[in-house]
Amino acid sequence: MTEKVRVRFAPSPTGPLHVGGVRTALYNYLFAKHHGGDFIIRIEDTDQTRLVPGAEEYILRSLEWCGIHADYGPHIGGPDAPYRQSERKPIYKAYAEELVAKGHAYYAFDTPEQIEEMREKAKAAGNKSPQYNAITRQYMLNSLTLPAEEVQKRLESNEPYVIRMLVPRKEEIRFEDKIRGWVSVHSSQLDDKVLLKSDGMPTYHLANVVDDHLMKITHVIRGEEWLPSTPLHVLLYRGFGWEMPVFAHLPLLLSPDDSGKLSKRDGDRYGFPVFPLEWVDPITGNKSSGYKESGYLPEAFINFLAFLGWNPGTHQEVFSMQELIQHFSLERVGKSGVKFDKKKSIWYNQYYIRKKSPEELLPYVVQDLEKKGWPIPAAPYLKRVIELLSDRVEYLTDFTNLAPYFFLRPNTYEPELIEKSWKTQNIAFLIDFSRQLQGIQEWNSKNLEMLGKQLASEKGLSAGKIMPTIRLAVTGVTFGPGVFDILELLGKEETLWRIDQALQKIPVPTEKL
RNA sequence: GGUCCGUUCGUCUAGCCCGGUCCAGGACAUCUCCCUUUCACGGAGGAAACAGGGGUUCAAAUCCCCUACGGACUACCA
């Protein structure tokens, strides 16, 4: 095969894109770029009734955030435009008719009620999965059973009809899946799927085959849920006399509680977002969290996602997008369903955050502060905050969540910490400490520590005793970087103010000796 | 129910195609210890898996068969 690799990601704008979809897009992208090929986005909006406003735009925005950039798509255009199936409507009808002409498809005039009736009858007769197929089509209203003039008349009088695939009665259909090997299904298991709906729109089956052919797609990389309908697609390619693309069906992303494949409807119920970006349902107004807003770095999210079903075969775990492109291959994609591991996603995030410089992290923190409506300190101060915290955060939002005291004065003091460290001796120390602080020569962490320790030993107190007390007074919480580093950053004036506040606000214990 | 696909530590997985080097390797999580004023980071170490049963073979996680379990699909949805 010397032709250029071309793949497509074909989401349906029926809602937000979820992680499984992002992974499918990612693998398509990695595969295309690895081979120097094109990655196309095609919107499969043939079901007009399920369209969700904003979904397409959301999908496009999500992929951008992830760093998955399309070569062609509805927002970019390209040689095979339009890339929205609803805008390609006339194309499909012609192809469906071509198939009828070739004897691979037929018109069917049955009403939904008539089909339902057929199913009921079949069920009553003991058939567990009644189908519109080689057997039942003989008894239905279609161009196979009706006289030609009758068919003609019905078509001319604009009677609603669909075009169905004429699936051969007895035939073993085989195809090779790049991930699963040879798969074979007997045609008797397939039903005569509708190709063109009565509203003139194609179904997925027709549209995807026609478009993949027209867009010269070389590899169809999609979720495993499509595996059962692939034989039908094979039949379609054959019926048209077209060359088939290579198929690769990806293992599904499973929910952590073994309840099957992860779905959009899972929203936030597993404690991790299932969407890349926050999504607000246009109808219910329900908000679902997104990775971005939760404080994930896109590169961490992508690295994590890439490993859900693929691995390089080496011990390397950290890959940039460029490295992923370099190393990705379908051969190394697993076959079995993959469960989501929130802890690992956090590990990746933490890792990537720590690798970033304070300068790089700065905009994220500023954005977060803006969102929270907190005061935004000057850049040097912020960078120092980031430095002090970056070993301790899991999410980008932790810079503010875990250490609000760098931005706001504490207004509460952790009760447990009070109980442990707010002793009369310690308070006495704090008062003296604060007094000595006023006269300190150079306000830096080292000097502060020296002073604190010296004063402590003068009073017969250990460093371990007094530091939590200072921490309590200044931050109100137990968590954080070294106290003296905090003091240094806060500055003399603020430190003194906070100690004073603490002395006023935290009640003196009634100590029993 | 039927069809198809799958099954290695709790999780993601390496190894399977080309049987021996695997009393199964890595990562996350977990446990212990060290470092340490807190929380982390870091370092050292530990526990932890070939779904089950039959074959084939001198030898099977690796090849074959069966069973069990899980999943997907089964629409004029994608």
Side-chain angles (χ1 to χ4, degrees), chain A residues 163-339:
Chain A
I163 292 180
R164 283 182 181 273
M165 185 70 185
L166 181 58
V167 174
R169 174 98 188 255
K170 287 193 248 184
E171 198 182 321
E172 195 67 20
I173 304 161
R174 280 163 59 80
F175 63 94
E176 192 177 8
D177 185 279
K178 197 87 178 161
I179 292 169
R180 278 145 226 287
W182 284 95
V183 176
S184 83
V185 178
H186 195 87
S187 65
S188 60
Q189 300 303 325
L190 269 34
D191 59 346
D192 289 354
K193 280 265 180 298
V194 169
L195 301 178
L196 196 75
K197 301 184 266 189
S198 55
D199 65 356
M201 276 289 191
T203 57
Y204 170 84
H205 307 292
L206 208 224
N208 110 83
V209 167
V210 168
D211 283 345
D212 285 347
H213 174 255
L214 260 23
M215 295 179 181
K216 299 177 196 65
I217 299 301
T218 57
H219 300 256
V220 170
I221 303 168
R222 81 236 289 196
E224 194 189 337
E225 68 267 29
W226 294 109
L227 198 54
S229 57
T230 305
L232 174 75
H233 304 159
V234 170
L235 249 24
L236 243 8
Y237 280 104
R238 212 196 286 165
F240 282 119
W242 294 337
E243 195 189 331
M244 274 199 292
V246 174
F247 290 106
H249 289 92
L250 269 22
L252 261 17
L253 250 40
L254 273 17
S255 67
D257 63 358
D258 295 311
S259 63
K261 79 169 171 177
L262 204 59
S263 97
K264 288 173 201 172
R265 289 176 299 277
D266 287 334
D268 283 326
R269 79 180 153 112
Y270 296 116
F272 58 82
V274 299
F275 302 126
L277 310 178
E278 190 174 270
W279 168 259
V280 180
D281 189 299
I283 294 155
T284 63
N286 282 157
K287 199 193 266 185
S288 303
S289 67
Y291 279 85
K292 181 185 177 203
E293 293 76 10
S294 301
Y296 277 84
L297 245 11
E299 46 269 62
F301 177 60
I302 285 301
N303 196 156
F304 166 68
L305 222 47
F307 270 69
L308 250 33
W310 172 86
N311 76 84
T314 65
H315 286 166
Q316 186 181 345
E317 304 266 340
V318 176
F319 282 80
S320 65
M321 188 67 101
Q322 275 316 307
E323 289 173 311
L324 286 173
I325 289 170
Q326 201 180 112
H327 294 273
F328 185 82
S329 82
L330 288 173
E331 282 75 17
R332 296 212 61 89
V333 172
K335 300 183 213 288
S336 43
V338 180
K339 250 181 253 170

Side-chain angles (χ1 to χ4, degrees), chain A residues 323-496:
Chain A
E323 289 173 311
L324 286 173
I325 289 170
Q326 201 180 112
H327 294 273
F328 185 82
S329 82
L330 288 173
E331 282 75 17
R332 296 212 61 89
V333 172
K335 300 183 213 288
S336 43
V338 180
K339 250 181 253 170
F340 218 78
D341 185 356
K342 183 187 174 187
K343 292 277 178 59
K344 190 131 187 187
S345 78
I346 292 175
W347 177 77
Y348 269 114
N349 203 232
Q350 191 177 27
Y351 182 90
Y352 276 90
I353 291 175
R354 265 196 288 144
K355 253 185 23 180
K356 284 210 184 287
S357 67
E359 289 88 288
E360 289 173 298
L361 258 10
L362 192 73
Y364 293 101
V365 181
V366 169
Q367 213 176 41
D368 193 24
L369 287 166
E370 278 169 354
K371 207 169 153 189
K372 285 192 158 83
W374 290 5
I376 298 168
Y381 180 97
L382 263 180
K383 279 189 203 169
R384 182 68 184 142
V385 170
I386 293 168
E387 254 171 40
L388 254 22
L389 253 24
S390 61
D391 271 355
R392 304 157 217 263
V393 302
E394 294 180 336
Y395 303 103
L396 290 166
T397 45
D398 282 344
F399 285 108
T400 57
N401 286 342
L402 295 177
Y405 49 82
F406 280 125
F407 311 99
L408 304 169
R409 288 168 167 172
N411 52 14
T412 57
Y413 299 90
E414 230 173 76
E416 259 182 61
L417 191 56
I418 293 178
E419 194 170 333
K420 266 215 289 229
S421 57
W422 203 250
K423 307 268 163 71
T424 38
Q425 279 181 309
N426 300 357
I427 297 168
F429 163 85
L430 197 60
I431 292 167
D432 280 356
F433 182 59
S434 149
R435 210 167 279 145
Q436 294 207 13
L437 244 29
Q438 320 231 12
I440 200 163
Q441 294 291 321
E442 225 183 301
W443 186 268
N444 63 46
S445 173
K446 214 183 202 124
N447 286 349
L448 292 165
E449 182 170 356
M450 254 166 44
L451 194 145
K453 285 189 171 165
Q454 198 187 327
L455 183 61
S457 71
E458 277 171 22
K459 293 181 165 288
L461 293 166
S462 74
K465 274 253 171 19
I466 55 101
M467 287 194 241
T469 309
I470 304 174
R471 181 182 295 280
L472 171 66
V474 171
T475 72
V477 296
T478 162
F479 164 94
V483 244
F484 298 110
D485 287 330
I486 298 177
L487 297 195
E488 177 188 308
L489 186 56
L490 251 24
K492 185 172 174 177
E493 202 184 326
E494 181 65 18
T495 300
L496 291 174

Side-chain angles (χ1 to χ4, degrees), chain A residues 23-88:
Chain A
R23 194 200 52 172
T24 301
L26 175 64
Y27 283 11
N28 269 285
Y29 176 77
L30 295 177
F31 181 79
K33 295 302 141 189
H34 178 87
H35 292 284
D38 291 334
F39 172 70
I40 298 168
I41 293 177
R42 187 174 71 217
I43 298 296
E44 311 232 326
D45 56 350
T46 53
D47 187 348
Q48 301 292 302
T49 62
R50 292 208 306 155
L51 284 184
V52 171
E56 178 185 322
E57 192 254 333
Y58 173 95
I59 292 167
L60 267 15
R61 253 193 319 137
S62 295
L63 294 179
E64 279 306 312
W65 178 72
C66 293
I68 300 172
H69 307 298
D71 294 293
Y72 307 116
H75 52 316
I76 300 166
D80 303 300
Y83 291 94
R84 216 172 268 122
Q85 290 184 327
S86 58
E87 294 168 16
R88 302 167 66 79

